[in-house]
Amino acid sequence: MAAPDRLTKRNAIRRENERLILAAAEKVFAEAGFGGATMQLIADMAGLPKANLHYYFATKEELYRKVVQQIFEIWLHAAKSFDKAAGPVEGIGAYIDAKMEISRRHPFGSKVWASEVMHGAPVIQDYLETTLRDWTEGRAAVIRRWIAAGKMAPVDPYHLLYMLWATTQHYADFGHQIETLNGGRPLSAQEWARAKESVKSIILRGIGASPSQAEVI
Amino acid sequence: MAAPDRLTKRNAIRRENERLILAAAEKVFAEAGFGGATMQLIADMAGLPKANLHYYFATKEELYRKVVQQIFEIWLHAAKSFDKAAGPVEGIGAYIDAKMEISRRHPFGSKVWASEVMHGAPVIQDYLETTLRDWTEGRAAVIRRWIAAGKMAPVDPYHLLYMLWATTQHYADFGHQIETLNGGRPLSAQEWARAKESVKSIILRGIGASPSQAEVI
DNA sequence: CTCGACCTTGACCATACGGTCAGAAAACGA
DNA sequence: TCGTTTTCTGACCGTATGGTCAAGGTCGAG
């Protein structure tokens, strides 16, 4: 039972199949919701027989949970930009950049997370109450410190964080609506850049931390 | 076949039952998604036998479409605050107030809309392409006028609107997450007021239109 | 080479779902 | 009151779904 991580062909197959299944599941769960997704659809998209899915993931719930965990970890990782910053312009600016980039590259994961939370977080409630709560309180403390140091206006840290999440994830979760209003075409690279800049400039100025106003304060 | 709107007992019963069913459906669709919702669950919540639902609404899709239309009309109505305003402080301020109030009073409808759009708007794509597109372009024109008149900073009108939608609807769609981070308790009246003020102050300052800065400009 | 562990898969099962229907009950107009 | 229209509802049906299983195939260690 030892050495389960050797680079044998079996392990490669297992890893590759799990990757295939998770990618297909992320897309199907995002597009159909948990209830609307079917194991058959996921199997077809992964190019595997349905029974094979149940070999790697015992139940639909187990597969779903893995998908949700993935995006959560990506978000947590993105938050590091927040910490190594000296002030709100760099910290929040980099955080917005990172979250916007995730919305662009992982729109399915973002939708699955949104769906999960909207339905009352039946699967990941424990994450909300532990990891997310701790993370949020930590970042709120950073913001309070910036406020105390006069680096930004005295805004409520929690509502600022909610605003950051809402605005950045909106570009993934409501991407279809944005695409429709964009003439039916997905945002181009330039349009993504413009979106990023718009969000950053409004929020940074909104908290009294925009670069141009830095001298004024 | 005339006079279908007389105040007969039959019409009263019909109206009341449709109301009951739509309210139950809104809640169930919001909590379980379209795929996860079952007609039986909606029927139980409405206190009617399942067959009775199919008497008033032929199919699950038809019932769902009605629910989505409801919230869309509520939002369109709220947008009137935008139009009768002289400038961004009153216009956008009132719009945020109105949308926040809707998030507070109609969280289920907001979730159903979010779910629908996230899944690619299979049912209301035509609304997006007609009513919503026209509405958005009209409001964008108003914003451009305000910018031209020097009443606010030159921000991209579309991304500003996305930000307004994202931030206000977040309090409905992610209400469960916010509640969890609020110590497990729903926002109190005071906390809702604080949320409103936070959103308004950051955005209005962010677009260079905050009341305190009005004189500066 | 051989044996045991792991992987693959078509066929199958119980269940739950959306929707139907026939007939009973209630409300209505005259 | 009487005939007609509308409303109500338990029983029913075909289908699709999540999950199981047993048999066969593939791989790696010794």
Side-chain angles (χ1 to χ4, degrees):
Chain A
M1 283 302 138
D5 276 20
R6 278 187 46 209
L7 251 71
T8 164
K9 186 172 180 182
R10 273 197 185 147
N11 285 340
I13 288 178
R14 168 170 279 270
R15 245 193 291 268
E16 173 63 7
N17 279 347
E18 284 179 351
R19 198 190 57 79
L20 269 177
I21 295 170
L22 282 170
E26 182 176 303
K27 192 171 181 187
V28 173
F29 281 134
E31 286 174 352
F34 179 80
T38 73
M39 294 298 271
Q40 188 62 62
L41 215 67
I42 297 171
D44 291 349
M45 182 150 300
L48 296 170
K50 193 186 68 165
N52 212 345
L53 262 67
H54 281 100
Y55 175 73
Y56 286 105
F57 301 91
T59 66
K60 191 182 174 185
E61 278 84 0
E62 185 186 322
L63 176 53
Y64 174 76
R65 179 186 280 265
K66 280 278 165 57
V67 170
V68 176
Q69 284 175 350
Q70 266 190 345
I71 187 69
F72 188 54
E73 274 159 29
I74 290 175
W75 278 343
L76 280 186
H77 185 75
K80 289 176 183 168
S81 35
F82 213 112
D83 298 320
K84 17 181 177 175
V89 176
E90 310 86 30
I92 293 178
Y95 186 54
I96 292 174
D97 277 337
K99 294 263 356 255
M100 288 291 281
E101 208 53 37
I102 295 173
S103 283
R104 188 179 178 191
R105 294 180 193 276
H106 299 275
F108 299 129
S110 180
K111 286 179 186 176
V112 174
W113 174 269
S115 211
E116 164 70 7
V117 172
M118 282 200 322
H119 298 359
V123 169
I124 45 91
Q125 179 64 25
D126 50 335
Y127 274 72
L128 296 188
E129 289 174 0
T130 57
T131 318
L132 183 64
R133 189 177 282 178
D134 294 346
W135 184 93
T136 308
E137 180 47 38
R139 272 7 87 155
V142 172
I143 293 172
R144 283 193 207 96
R145 223 172 297 137
W146 286 338
I147 292 174
K151 291 179 178 174
M152 54 178 283
V155 304
D156 183 298
Y158 275 79
H159 292 298
L160 172 57
L161 287 170
Y162 298 159
M163 182 175 284
L164 293 174
W165 297 341
T167 48
T168 54
Q169 288 163 224
H170 185 83
Y171 284 87
D173 302 342
F174 288 75
H176 178 81
Q177 180 172 292
I178 290 174
E179 184 175 325
T180 299
L181 294 176
N182 192 44
R185 294 183 317 275
L187 296 189
S188 67
Q190 283 85 1
E191 287 165 337
W192 268 102
R194 186 174 175 81
K196 254 192 222 179
E197 283 313 308
S198 296
V199 170
K200 269 199 295 190
S201 89
I202 294 179
I203 290 186
L204 288 180
R205 195 178 348 182
I207 61 174
S210 82
S212 59
Q213 296 196 343
E215 307 142 23
V216 176
I217 290 180
Chain B
M1 284 303 134
D5 277 18
R6 278 185 47 211
L7 251 71
T8 163
K9 186 172 181 182
R10 270 190 189 156
N11 286 339
I13 287 178
R14 169 169 279 270
R15 243 193 292 269
E16 173 64 7
N17 278 347
E18 284 179 351
R19 198 189 57 79
L20 269 177
I21 295 170
L22 282 170
E26 182 175 303
K27 192 171 181 186
V28 172
F29 281 134
E31 287 174 351
F34 178 81
T38 73
M39 295 297 272
Q40 187 62 63
L41 216 66
I42 297 171
D44 292 348
M45 183 152 298
L48 296 170
K50 192 185 71 165
N52 211 346
L53 262 68
H54 282 99
Y55 174 75
Y56 286 105
F57 301 92
T59 67
K60 191 183 174 184
E61 278 84 359
E62 185 185 320
L63 176 53
Y64 175 76
R65 179 186 281 266
K66 281 276 165 59
V67 170
V68 176
Q69 285 176 348
Q70 266 189 346
I71 187 71
F72 188 55
E73 274 159 29
I74 290 175
W75 278 343
L76 280 185
H77 185 76
K80 289 175 184 167
S81 34
F82 213 113
D83 298 320
K84 16 181 175 174
V89 177
E90 310 86 29
I92 293 178
Y95 186 55
I96 292 174
D97 276 338
K99 294 262 356 256
M100 288 291 280
E101 207 55 38
I102 295 172
S103 283
R104 188 179 177 190
R105 293 179 193 276
H106 298 275
F108 298 129
S110 180
K111 286 179 186 176
V112 174
W113 175 270
S115 211
E116 164 70 8
V117 172
M118 281 199 323
H119 297 24
V123 170
I124 44 91
Q125 179 66 22
D126 50 335
Y127 274 73
L128 296 188
E129 289 174 0
T130 58
T131 318
L132 183 65
R133 188 177 283 180
D134 295 346
W135 183 93
T136 309
E137 180 47 39
R139 273 6 88 155
V142 172
I143 292 172
R144 284 194 207 95
R145 224 172 295 136
W146 285 338
I147 292 173
K151 292 180 177 174
M152 54 180 282
V155 303
D156 182 298
Y158 275 79
H159 291 298
L160 172 57
L161 286 170
Y162 298 158
M163 184 176 284
L164 293 174
W165 297 340
T167 49
T168 54
Q169 287 163 223
H170 185 83
Y171 284 87
D173 301 343
F174 289 75
H176 178 80
Q177 181 172 290
I178 290 175
E179 185 176 325
T180 298
L181 294 177
N182 192 45
R185 294 183 315 274
L187 296 190
S188 67
Q190 282 86 1
E191 287 164 336
W192 269 101
R194 186 174 175 81
K196 256 193 222 176
E197 283 314 308
S198 297
V199 171
K200 269 200 294 191
S201 88
I202 294 179
I203 290 186
L204 288 181
R205 195 177 348 180
I207 61 174
S210 80
S212 58
Q213 296 194 342
E215 305 142 23
V216 177
I217 290 181

